[in-house]
Amino acid sequence: MILAPHIIIGVAVARTLPDNLILAFSAAFLSHFIADAVPHWEYDLSKAIDPKYSEKIRINKEFLWDFFRLSLDGLIGLFISFLLFYNGNTGFIIAGCLGGIFPDILQFLYGKFKNRPLIVFKKFHDSVHSEKKERKFLVGVLSPVFFTTIIVIFSYIFK
């Protein structure tokens, strides 16, 4: 799944726990795995940044394009989260954002370091990830949008 839905879902979950940022982060972290179980579209990263190809990041045109896409993706998720949930408290938004994408950060670190805890984490992350990487753009986008919308609605009901 791309970063924006993970951020929005993470912040929606964290919103229900705004007074305990550790619990908010943890709930957002767990939400990542549930969201990854939904069939979804993903963009591919180039060999310059994708940790499965190399332990060394190469700074080149491909890297800059990947960095731009990932940054824009994350900023869109953060912007939508602020629009939907900002109430004067940014703590739960930051906790939800970081918790929602932290498993992907750990995936990236696995590619660079491959130590025992990260190997175990990667196996778990891969086991809960949707087996079907949806290539049909419309279906691959609509299922995460629908799932994200449901989570946002529930965050307002259970707040």
Side-chain angles (χ1 to χ4, degrees):
M1 188 172 290
I2 62 175
L3 296 178
H6 282 304
I7 290 170
I8 296 165
I9 291 167
V11 174
V13 170
R15 176 182 187 274
T16 64
L17 306 158
D19 298 328
N20 187 334
L21 296 182
I22 293 171
L23 194 55
F25 175 90
S26 301
F29 181 85
L30 293 174
S31 77
H32 181 100
F33 303 106
I34 296 167
D36 265 354
V38 174
H40 55 275
W41 171 82
E42 296 178 338
Y43 44 77
D44 293 319
L45 296 173
S46 72
K47 291 180 180 179
I49 198 169
D50 195 326
K52 68 184 172 195
Y53 293 113
S54 171
E55 294 180 8
K56 184 176 181 184
I57 294 176
R58 292 176 296 266
I59 307 295
N60 56 24
K61 188 170 73 171
E62 289 177 332
F63 170 85
L64 294 174
W65 174 242
D66 285 344
F67 184 78
F68 172 76
R69 286 191 303 167
L70 290 167
S71 298
L72 183 62
D73 183 6
L75 288 172
I76 288 169
L78 192 57
F79 178 73
I80 292 170
S81 294
F82 267 96
L83 285 177
L84 292 172
F85 305 117
Y86 182 69
N87 64 1
N89 177 1
T90 57
F92 77 88
I93 292 177
I94 293 167
C97 174
L98 293 176
I101 63 171
F102 200 68
D104 284 340
I105 294 169
L106 292 175
Q107 282 282 91
F108 179 77
L109 292 175
Y110 158 80
K112 300 301 168 200
F113 302 109
K114 293 185 177 68
N115 62 29
R116 177 94 172 118
L118 291 173
I119 291 169
V120 171
F121 170 79
K122 175 154 178 38
K123 286 181 182 178
F124 172 74
H125 193 188
D126 289 348
S127 75
V128 297
H129 201 277
S130 171
E131 290 187 23
K132 184 174 184 181
K133 181 178 175 183
E134 190 56 61
R135 288 289 179 193
K136 295 177 183 160
F137 184 79
L138 190 58
V139 174
V141 170
L142 288 182
S143 62
V145 166
F146 178 73
F147 182 73
T148 302
T149 302
I150 296 298
I151 300 298
V152 168
I153 291 168
F154 278 138
S155 81
Y156 277 97
I157 292 171
F158 294 111
K159 171 66 176 120

